[in-house]
Amino acid sequence: MTTTAPDTGRSPTEERPAPPGRRPLTLRRRESRAGLALVAPTLLVTIAVIGIPIVWTVVLAFQRVRLATLRKTGLFGEFTMDNIDRVLHTPGFADTLWVTLLYSIGGTVGSIALGLVAALVVRRPFRGRTLVRASMLLPYVAPVVAVTFVWQVMLDPQLGIVNHWGQRLLGWDAPVPFLTQESTALATVIVFEAWRYFPFAFLFLLARLQAVPGELEEAARVDGATPTQRFRHILLPQLLPVIALLGVLRFIMTFNKFDDVYLLTGGAAGTEVVSVRVYEFLTARTDIGAAAAQAVVLAVVLIVFVLIYLRFFGRRVG
Amino acid sequence: MDRDMVETVSLRWLRRLVIAAFLVVTVFPFYYMLVLSVRPIERLLLDPGSLVVGFGELTVATYAEVLKATDDGGQGFLTFIRNSGLVAVAATVLTLLVAIPGAYAVARLRFFGRRQVDFLFLAVYLFPSIVIAIPLFVVFSLAGLRGSLFGLVLVYISQTLPVSVYMLKNYFETIPVSLEESAAIDGAGRLGIIRRVSLPLAMPSIMAVALYDFMIAWNEFLFALLFLVDKPDRWTVSLGLSLLADGVEVPKTVLMAGSVVLTLPIVILFFASERLLTEGLTSGAEKG
């Protein structure tokens, strides 16, 4: 998936040694020029719309900038550690980081676990499988604004279907305000995350499952291994590298997530994750310096986690 | 019965049960959305548990309200649909225009810095959007691009480009080099080879990437919120819907009608191209 196969792309002419002196361009050099020319637009756009903004965010993090004063300060205003210092010592920041971590771990584990179960049950062909598989991908492809809305309405204390049935069939004493009370909001958001992104894990795990050679399992069956034993000793080892990779990818993506939490709770009731907090600083307080500083802290924490992960879980990943 | 039999039989039943559960969990919210959108709000308040719509109570007034222009007392979603469509199509076309040559180069040609370029795309697509949003917010504010759909298209390219390059690159790598070599022997230049051999072969993958880019741009929310909030006539469907919910009291049924309008194009597109898209997605990692 993300592994590259550096040898497959080589042109057959590369082994030819570069001739000395000024001669017409060799095939090798022509290829190099063509490569650079073709990749240049992609590279330029990437640097312009992603590279420069990232660097600029770092610069802003070390300046005292507000939207109102921006015209005066310019790019090279006075540099200061104030923002970082302020951000690290503002009450609530540690909580935010903790919430983000819980949310990321919960969302990652939940979505991969669900995805694994889903991949295992639709692994073998059955009638209507294509339709089942497509339906399972719905939460993932549907627009985030629409799905967060439906969840809000379903969980609504007054007219939501969940509370209605919960009170009727499960004997709940009172409606549960899932998204607005501290004790349930974070858990609900995590469940939402697992629901919305399990298709992502499902797709990758299913693709890997279908690549497992049939003889392996057949041999194990002949040797008398039961289905659960076959799963533990044959399938799981085959899936582990993909699960590890999914763990990293989903953790990073959940850690950065903004819209799901923002749309579900607005960051209230103990669900304020870092990116929602950054957004608040950026728009409500127009304190660009502080917003940038928090974004940088977010990125640094993320990089540290990924490095730790790679350090301990080997080089199979990436 | 031995353990193997017990496990095989119980797993067979468990499997059916689990499939059914997954179907309910994934499809039900969309069904619920649809049902609420065609019920009058009074009926919903009266009986929130009902999941079937009686023939008599069926209404499309909710859709009329959502789609009608604001001047006619509606919510102006037709304009939002046009905006979303324009932005998504433009972002898709421009992304492909830039991504195809880049992906081809990374997959096929050896040039100085190829590995670094390859790594750059991987690193970039895992970077938090909110980090990129800060300076873009600042620049667009200063340059007066806030409220411009073109600015939004630029940002969406940044969101779709790295993944597109990745998916396309992986596909180009699966095309046998020998096909291109024989074209070269026949005297085709590099551009000729790409146009006549590689591009037609890569068409399924290009379609998958195009669909994926369109979905990302159509579904996007954060950047639309940051850039367009002051200009109601430029809102996308996502933004319009979320602001509709924040504003004055709008019946939930109308909000659900808006959700259906937002979701339907994507679901249709998705079911029409499911196989293409899932294969494309698993051959390239992606951003969610």
Coordinates of all heavy atoms in Angstrom, one line a residue, chain B residues 210-238:
Chain B
A210 N -10.5 10.3 -9.5 CA -11.4 11.4 -9.7 C -12.6 11.4 -8.8 O -13.0 12.4 -8.1 CB -11.9 11.4 -11.1
L211 N -13.2 10.2 -8.6 CA -14.4 10.0 -7.8 C -14.0 10.4 -6.3 O -14.7 11.1 -5.6 CB -14.9 8.6 -7.8 CG -15.7 8.3 -9.1 CD1 -15.9 6.8 -9.2 CD2 -17.0 9.0 -9.0
Y212 N -12.9 9.8 -5.9 CA -12.4 10.1 -4.5 C -12.2 11.6 -4.3 O -12.6 12.1 -3.3 CB -11.1 9.3 -4.3 CG -10.5 9.6 -3.0 CD1 -11.0 8.9 -1.9 CD2 -9.4 10.5 -2.9 CE1 -10.4 9.2 -0.7 CE2 -8.9 10.7 -1.7 CZ -9.4 10.1 -0.6 OH -8.8 10.4 0.7
D213 N -11.5 12.2 -5.2 CA -11.3 13.7 -5.1 C -12.6 14.4 -5.0 O -12.8 15.4 -4.2 CB -10.5 14.2 -6.2 CG -9.0 13.7 -6.2 OD1 -8.7 13.1 -5.2 OD2 -8.3 13.9 -7.2
F214 N -13.5 14.0 -5.8 CA -14.8 14.7 -5.9 C -15.5 14.6 -4.5 O -16.0 15.5 -3.9 CB -15.7 14.1 -7.0 CG -17.0 14.8 -7.1 CD1 -17.2 15.9 -7.9 CD2 -18.1 14.4 -6.4 CE1 -18.4 16.6 -8.1 CE2 -19.4 15.0 -6.5 CZ -19.5 16.1 -7.4
M215 N -15.5 13.4 -4.0 CA -16.1 13.1 -2.7 C -15.5 14.0 -1.6 O -16.2 14.6 -0.8 CB -15.9 11.6 -2.3 CG -16.9 10.8 -2.9 SD -16.7 9.1 -2.2 CE -17.8 8.2 -3.3
I216 N -14.2 14.0 -1.5 CA -13.5 14.8 -0.5 C -13.9 16.2 -0.6 O -14.3 16.9 0.4 CB -11.9 14.7 -0.7 CG1 -11.5 13.3 -0.5 CG2 -11.2 15.7 0.3 CD1 -11.5 12.8 1.0
A217 N -13.9 16.8 -1.8 CA -14.2 18.2 -2.0 C -15.7 18.4 -1.6 O -16.1 19.4 -1.0 CB -13.9 18.6 -3.4
W218 N -16.6 17.5 -2.0 CA -18.0 17.7 -1.8 C -18.3 17.6 -0.3 O -19.1 18.3 0.3 CB -18.8 16.6 -2.5 CG -20.3 16.7 -2.3 CD1 -21.0 16.2 -1.3 CD2 -21.3 17.4 -3.2 NE1 -22.3 16.5 -1.4 CE2 -22.5 17.2 -2.6 CE3 -21.2 18.1 -4.3 CZ2 -23.7 17.7 -3.1 CZ3 -22.3 18.6 -4.9 CH2 -23.6 18.4 -4.3
N219 N -17.6 16.7 0.4 CA -17.9 16.5 1.8 C -17.2 17.5 2.8 O -17.5 17.5 4.0 CB -17.5 15.1 2.2 CG -18.3 14.0 1.6 OD1 -19.3 14.3 0.9 ND2 -17.9 12.8 1.7
E220 N -16.2 18.2 2.3 CA -15.3 19.0 3.1 C -16.1 20.0 4.0 O -17.0 20.6 3.5 CB -14.3 19.7 2.3 CG -13.0 20.0 3.1 CD -13.1 21.2 4.0 OE1 -13.9 22.1 3.7 OE2 -12.4 21.2 5.0
F221 N -15.6 20.2 5.2 CA -16.4 21.2 6.1 C -15.5 22.3 6.7 O -15.8 23.4 6.6 CB -17.1 20.4 7.2 CG -17.7 21.3 8.2 CD1 -18.8 22.0 7.9 CD2 -17.1 21.3 9.5 CE1 -19.3 22.9 8.9 CE2 -17.7 22.1 10.5 CZ -18.8 22.9 10.2
L222 N -14.3 21.9 7.2 CA -13.5 22.9 8.0 C -13.1 24.1 7.2 O -13.3 25.2 7.6 CB -12.2 22.2 8.5 CG -11.1 23.1 9.1 CD1 -11.6 23.9 10.3 CD2 -9.9 22.3 9.4
F223 N -12.6 23.9 6.0 CA -12.1 25.0 5.2 C -13.2 25.9 4.7 O -13.1 27.1 4.6 CB -11.2 24.5 4.1 CG -9.9 24.1 4.6 CD1 -9.6 22.7 4.6 CD2 -8.9 24.9 5.0 CE1 -8.4 22.3 5.1 CE2 -7.7 24.5 5.5 CZ -7.4 23.1 5.5
A224 N -14.3 25.2 4.3 CA -15.5 26.0 3.9 C -16.0 26.9 5.0 O -16.3 28.0 4.8 CB -16.6 25.0 3.5
L225 N -15.9 26.3 6.2 CA -16.3 27.1 7.4 C -15.4 28.3 7.6 O -15.8 29.4 7.9 CB -16.3 26.2 8.6 CG -16.7 26.8 10.0 CD1 -18.1 27.3 10.0 CD2 -16.4 25.8 11.1
L226 N -14.1 28.1 7.5 CA -13.1 29.1 7.7 C -13.2 30.2 6.7 O -13.0 31.4 7.0 CB -11.7 28.5 7.7 CG -11.3 27.9 9.0 CD1 -9.9 27.3 8.8 CD2 -11.2 28.9 10.1
F227 N -13.5 29.8 5.4 CA -13.3 30.8 4.3 C -14.6 31.5 3.9 O -14.6 32.6 3.3 CB -12.7 30.2 3.1 CG -11.3 29.7 3.4 CD1 -10.6 28.8 2.6 CD2 -10.5 30.3 4.4 CE1 -9.3 28.4 2.8 CE2 -9.2 29.9 4.7 CZ -8.7 29.0 3.9
L228 N -15.7 30.8 4.0 CA -16.9 31.3 3.4 C -18.0 31.8 4.3 O -19.1 32.2 3.8 CB -17.5 30.1 2.5 CG -16.7 29.5 1.4 CD1 -17.4 28.4 0.7 CD2 -16.3 30.6 0.4
V229 N -17.7 31.7 5.6 CA -18.8 31.9 6.5 C -19.5 33.3 6.4 O -20.7 33.4 6.5 CB -18.3 31.7 8.0 CG1 -17.8 33.0 8.6 CG2 -19.4 31.0 8.8
D230 N -18.8 34.3 5.9 CA -19.5 35.6 5.8 C -20.3 35.8 4.5 O -20.9 36.8 4.4 CB -18.4 36.8 5.8 CG -17.4 36.5 6.9 OD1 -17.7 36.0 7.9 OD2 -16.2 36.9 6.7
K231 N -20.1 34.9 3.6 CA -20.8 35.1 2.3 C -21.8 34.0 2.0 O -21.5 33.0 1.3 CB -19.7 35.0 1.2 CG -18.7 36.1 1.3 CD -19.1 37.3 0.4 CE -18.1 38.5 0.5 NZ -16.8 38.2 -0.1
P232 N -23.1 34.3 2.5 CA -24.1 33.2 2.3 C -24.3 32.7 0.9 O -24.7 31.6 0.7 CB -25.3 33.9 2.8 CG -24.8 35.0 3.7 CD -23.5 35.4 3.2
D233 N -24.1 33.6 -0.1 CA -24.4 33.1 -1.5 C -23.3 32.2 -2.0 O -23.4 31.6 -3.1 CB -24.6 34.3 -2.4 CG -23.4 35.2 -2.4 OD1 -22.8 35.4 -1.3 OD2 -23.0 35.7 -3.5
R234 N -22.2 32.1 -1.2 CA -21.1 31.2 -1.7 C -21.0 29.9 -0.9 O -20.2 29.1 -1.1 CB -19.7 31.9 -1.5 CG -19.6 33.2 -2.1 CD -19.1 33.1 -3.5 NE -19.3 34.4 -4.2 CZ -18.5 35.5 -4.1 NH1 -17.5 35.4 -3.3 NH2 -18.7 36.6 -4.8
W235 N -21.9 29.7 0.1 CA -21.8 28.5 0.9 C -21.9 27.3 0.1 O -22.6 27.2 -0.9 CB -23.0 28.5 2.0 CG -22.8 29.6 3.0 CD1 -21.7 30.3 3.2 CD2 -23.7 29.9 4.0 NE1 -21.9 31.2 4.3 CE2 -23.1 31.0 4.8 CE3 -25.0 29.5 4.3 CZ2 -23.8 31.6 5.9 CZ3 -25.7 30.1 5.4 CH2 -25.1 31.1 6.2
T236 N -21.2 26.2 0.6 CA -21.4 24.9 0.0 C -22.5 24.2 0.8 O -23.0 24.7 1.8 CB -20.1 24.1 0.2 OG1 -19.8 24.0 1.6 CG2 -18.9 24.7 -0.5
V237 N -22.9 23.0 0.3 CA -24.1 22.4 1.0 C -23.7 22.0 2.4 O -24.5 22.2 3.3 CB -24.5 21.1 0.2 CG1 -25.7 20.5 0.8 CG2 -24.7 21.4 -1.3
S238 N -22.5 21.5 2.6 CA -22.1 21.1 4.0 C -22.2 22.3 4.9 O -22.8 22.2 6.0 CB -20.7 20.6 4.0 OG -20.6 19.3 3.6

